[in-house]
Amino acid sequence: MNSGKAPNVRSVEAPGRHTVFSMCGMCATRCPIEVTVEDGRVTWLQGNSFDPAIGASLCARGAGGIPLEYDDERPQTPLIRTAARGAGKWRRASWDEALDYIAEKLREVVEEMGPRGIALSDRGGAFTDLTQAFVQALGSPNYFDHDASCGRNAHNATRSLYGVGRTAVTFDLKNARHVVLYGRNIVESLQVKESKAFMAAMARGMRCTYIDPRASITACKATRYWQTRPNSDYALNLAIIHEVLKQEVYDKEFVARFVSGMDALREAVKDTSPEWQEEHTGIPAAEIRAFVTEIAGDAPHVIFHPGWMTARHKQSFYVSRTALILNALMGSVEVKGGIVLAKSPEDVGRKSLRKLVSRMPKAKEPRVDGAGTTHPQWDPASGILHQLFAAMESAQPYGVGAYFTYRHDPLTSMPDPEATKRALDKLKLLVSIDVRYSETAWFADVILPESSYLERANILAQNNGPRPNFGMRDQALAPRFDSRPAWWIFREILRRVGLEEALDFETIEELWDFQLEGTGVTVAQMREKGIVSLAATPAITPREQLKFKTPSGKIEIESEVLKKAGLPSLAPFQPHAAPSGDRFHLLFGRPAVLTHGQSLNNPILNEIAPEQLLWIHPLRARPLGISDGDEVEIGTDGCFGEGTGRRPYSAYLRARVTPWIHPDAVFMLHGYGATVPLATRACGLGVADQSLQQGKLYEFDPAGGGNAMTETVVQVRRKAQRGVAK
Ligand SMILES: Nc1nc2c(c(=O)[nH]1)N[C@H]1C(S)=C(S)[C@@H](COP(=O)(O)OP(=O)(O)OC[C@H]3O[C@@H](n4cnc5c(=O)[nH]c(N)nc54)[C@H](O)[C@@H]3O)O[C@H]1N2
Ligand SMILES: Nc1nc2c(c(=O)[nH]1)N[C@H]1C(S)=C(S)[C@@H](COP(=O)(O)OP(=O)(O)OC[C@H]3O[C@@H](n4cnc5c(=O)[nH]c(N)nc54)[C@H](O)[C@@H]3O)O[C@H]1N2
Ligand code: SF4
Ligand SMILES: [Mo]
């Protein structure tokens, strides 16, 4: 089948200098930007100054968009694998050839397994209407996002209490008096607007309590830092709630009106006193009492941040849940300086974008991961990704034979890539749609190069929030290589399997017109500033109209959905034994200048990326003979010989001996240890934390669904001296 001309080779190469309003693509925050183009080349990137919250600011990664654009180390044509998966042998293919190949394989999978045997995962967020529509048009229920290894525990916890997802909870830092952050490293693991708001609030005197076994840069900015034991925040929260109830400093009026299940709460915390938590968290009881007095004085302008990554263990759902309960107790929900629930265009008297998914019926089959059915506590909108891999391996509850990863690199972002590969290797078809050679692309059957974010347009984004808006990513440059935008790629695949109606738009403008119909906003208006705000000021629902989207309309401390799933609404805290000797909990995080595993090959970001060091406490380093700067070996539990039945894996990096990491844990940066030889700057640089997280692909928080990555135990030893036997 002939796919015709690429849609994005158009007259963007106008001579002279002009500005295009668009959206950053260097991380999934997708900040609004202004792109300066001179004679067809991008010469400057900055934040969209029509958006006062961002102003002209970009982060270092955002500025890295220019070197990404002019980097040749990215896929330049479609590629089809010619040898074993992962062997790195490819042939160049035309778009027609690659798309026909995919269509043929899809037909085979549908014949054998039905349409439900096709799955896709992507990077969640503002553009998922397109990918969801693609999966739905194919007749499959199996759309997934990346979130099982990101914020899913916080997401499902938010749904169970407030009846909305985690992104519907926003934080009014501008007016807050006190923010409490559980490992939410807001100035390094950053979003430009939020970091700016945080720094401005700190400068005007906001208090910040930062809780993390490791002192991140946010800890350095905070007014209080608690170095807790890893995975112990739930105990801390149970004790804080105990004290809040005991001191009777909660907002009785708010609770009486808007909260159900207080008896269950009292029961759950009756014995969790500040003294009780001491042995679990290491924080003195007196400090908890002082904190409660202080926070009660700051209420209701306080924010207990329910976390994003928070900690990733089997009770992290309850960490988020209790943080959200604390907001309810402080009466800080839907108030200035507290939590503000996101508003849809309808909430402010406007209309939402029309959805592509509304163009076709939903698949009737149940999801393969059981989200919303056998696991009613998991949001069925995007499921729990590791259970897709479990199904690939076991063909239970049914088989999956074709898998698209779009703007998603599960071999970097899911724990234990060897286990993930075992599942992927069962597939008949694995397609990666990316702008660079990711680990997953390298293992795929077909790589389809998407045009970079500066070379393409996306579907319009609807950003619900205190001030909902529509946002546009517009094309600024002609593509440098034989690449295509996602909407075109998905349309062409559907055309080839005879399902074109779902996405039958000839141009992106036609698609945008469909989305904008009835909203009163035009494409020309969108192009003028890149964003169109739908409300003049942030909307806070007046108390008399406030109603939560839960079955009871209240914040539900006791949740029927959890009960149905056989899970307690508030489980007893489960302590972890402290690892000793050469064993440690492995913690991880990200630096301000890299996005996950995708930035290390960027020519400029690679230059400024910090060296990946292993943080280790002096009290634990000394008996192991490890000094600051020493090279150390870090390996999976049992890899030094005692054998735990796991495949031994170890790697080397230098130690940073510092008291700013809890003695029970070691810490390292994520995003290193890439293996694709064509990404020459990143390949072989540092160690992949996901490879150390062996056995964690299928170990997860049963309530939230997120992978239990911070329960990983590793072993550490000083690297043997040359010539000295280990
Ligand atoms: N061990 C460990 N695992 C983790 C984490 C950790 O810290 N440690 N962090 C977790 C978190 S918070 C998250 S969100 C996930 C992130 O996991 P992912 O979403 O998989 O990671 P990203 O690097 O954001 O992006 C995935 C892919 O999108 C590609 N991409 C970038 N821009 C474009 C584009 O314009 N078009 C297309 N088609 N592709 C593009 C990138 O090149 C990359 O290969 O990982 C999680 N997993
Ligand atoms: N520069 C940059 N910014 C980013 C991203 C990026 O890749 N680069 N990614 C974005 C994405 S997708 C996300 S999800 C966010 C993630 O943002 P955050 O949720 O802030 O996540 P991390 O960077 O993983 O920071 C994790 C911190 O949690 C701590 N921690 C580990 N275990 C525990 C524990 O048991 N309790 C507590 N309280 N803390 C613990 C770690 O020591 C570490 O300092 O960042 C976003 N912003
Ligand atoms: S936070 Fe930085 S990298 Fe992410 S979208 Fe904004 S400017 Fe781009
Ligand atoms: Mo994330």
Side-chain angles (χ1 to χ4, degrees), residues 318-397:
Y318 295 113
V319 176
S320 295
R321 213 162 188 266
T322 42
L324 290 161
I325 289 174
L326 277 160
N327 287 301
L329 294 176
M330 294 297 119
S332 63
V333 184
E334 208 57 13
V335 291
K336 237 180 155 179
I339 275 181
V340 179
L341 298 173
K343 309 296 175 303
S344 69
E346 282 72 13
D347 290 330
V348 296
R350 301 291 295 266
K351 255 190 104 181
S352 287
L353 292 178
R354 262 173 97 196
K355 290 213 162 217
L356 295 167
V357 290
S358 68
R359 293 165 66 90
M360 69 220 89
K362 261 201 154 107
K364 290 203 178 65
E365 310 260 9
R367 295 182 57 91
V368 76
D369 58 352
T373 51
T374 52
H375 294 84
Q377 75 280 22
W378 294 346
D379 187 349
S382 55
I384 294 291
L385 184 65
H386 48 76
Q387 291 304 295
L388 171 66
F389 300 145
M392 284 174 193
E393 277 216 85
S394 65
Q396 295 297 328

Side-chain angles (χ1 to χ4, degrees), residues 230-387:
N231 306 330
S232 69
D233 311 59
Y234 183 39
L236 183 81
N237 279 356
L238 289 173
I240 295 172
I241 295 173
H242 173 101
E243 196 56 26
V244 165
L245 296 181
K246 190 168 163 206
Q247 290 188 22
E248 292 201 45
V249 287
Y250 60 96
D251 184 333
K252 292 187 181 129
E253 199 194 321
F254 182 86
V255 166
R257 232 167 122 181
F258 297 111
V259 181
S260 71
M262 283 297 284
D263 290 344
L265 183 65
R266 281 181 216 284
E267 180 60 26
V269 302
K270 68 179 191 308
D271 300 323
T272 64
S273 65
E275 281 73 18
W276 164 83
Q277 64 80 48
E278 275 182 344
E279 67 162 315
H280 300 305
T281 68
I283 305 302
E287 286 197 32
I288 304 281
R289 294 208 166 85
F291 166 78
V292 167
T293 305
E294 186 182 295
I295 202 100
D298 291 333
H301 309 292
V302 299
I303 297 165
F304 284 83
H305 194 300
W308 192 350
M309 284 287 276
T310 319
R312 319 208 48 78
H313 54 78
K314 289 182 193 153
Q315 291 201 309
S316 75
F317 173 86
Y318 295 113
V319 176
S320 295
R321 213 162 188 266
T322 42
L324 290 161
I325 289 174
L326 277 160
N327 287 301
L329 294 176
M330 294 297 119
S332 63
V333 184
E334 208 57 13
V335 291
K336 237 180 155 179
I339 275 181
V340 179
L341 298 173
K343 309 296 175 303
S344 69
E346 282 72 13
D347 290 330
V348 296
R350 301 291 295 266
K351 255 190 104 181
S352 287
L353 292 178
R354 262 173 97 196
K355 290 213 162 217
L356 295 167
V357 290
S358 68
R359 293 165 66 90
M360 69 220 89
K362 261 201 154 107
K364 290 203 178 65
E365 310 260 9
R367 295 182 57 91
V368 76
D369 58 352
T373 51
T374 52
H375 294 84
Q377 75 280 22
W378 294 346
D379 187 349
S382 55
I384 294 291
L385 184 65
H386 48 76
Q387 291 304 295

Side-chain angles (χ1 to χ4, degrees), residues 14 44 80 118 137 141 179 200 213 222 316 355 417 616 629 638 663 726:
W44 183 249
I80 298 178
I118 305 170
V179 62
S316 75
K355 290 213 162 217
I616 182 167
K726 278 184 194 171

Side-chain angles (χ1 to χ4, degrees), residues 184-185 188-190 211-212 214 231 233 590-591 594 596:
R184 173 71 194 99
N185 187 5
E188 287 182 279
S189 303
L190 63 90
I211 302 151
D212 190 326
R214 171 191 79 115
N231 306 330
D233 311 59
R590 55 218 80 236
L594 298 177
H596 310 292

Side-chain angles (χ1 to χ4, degrees), residues 27-29 59 61 123 146 149-151 166 181-186 188-191 210-216 228-233 307-313 587-597 661 667 670 710:
C27 89
T29 304
C59 76
R61 300 167 296 149
R123 179 39 201 276
H146 69 296
S149 58
C150 175
R166 71 179 162 93
L181 302 171
Y182 306 82
R184 173 71 194 99
N185 187 5
I186 206 161
E188 287 182 279
S189 303
L190 63 90
Q191 300 191 309
Y210 183 77
I211 302 151
D212 190 326
R214 171 191 79 115
S216 65
T228 45
R229 285 187 62 204
N231 306 330
S232 69
D233 311 59
W308 192 350
M309 284 287 276
T310 319
R312 319 208 48 78
H313 54 78
L587 310 184
F588 52 82
R590 55 218 80 236
V593 301
L594 298 177
T595 298
H596 310 292
I661 171 83
F667 171 88
H670 173 61
T710 58

Side-chain angles (χ1 to χ4, degrees), residues 226 273 308 468 480 517 540:
W226 279 338
S273 65
W308 192 350
R480 290 187 58 229
E517 202 183 296
I540 293 192

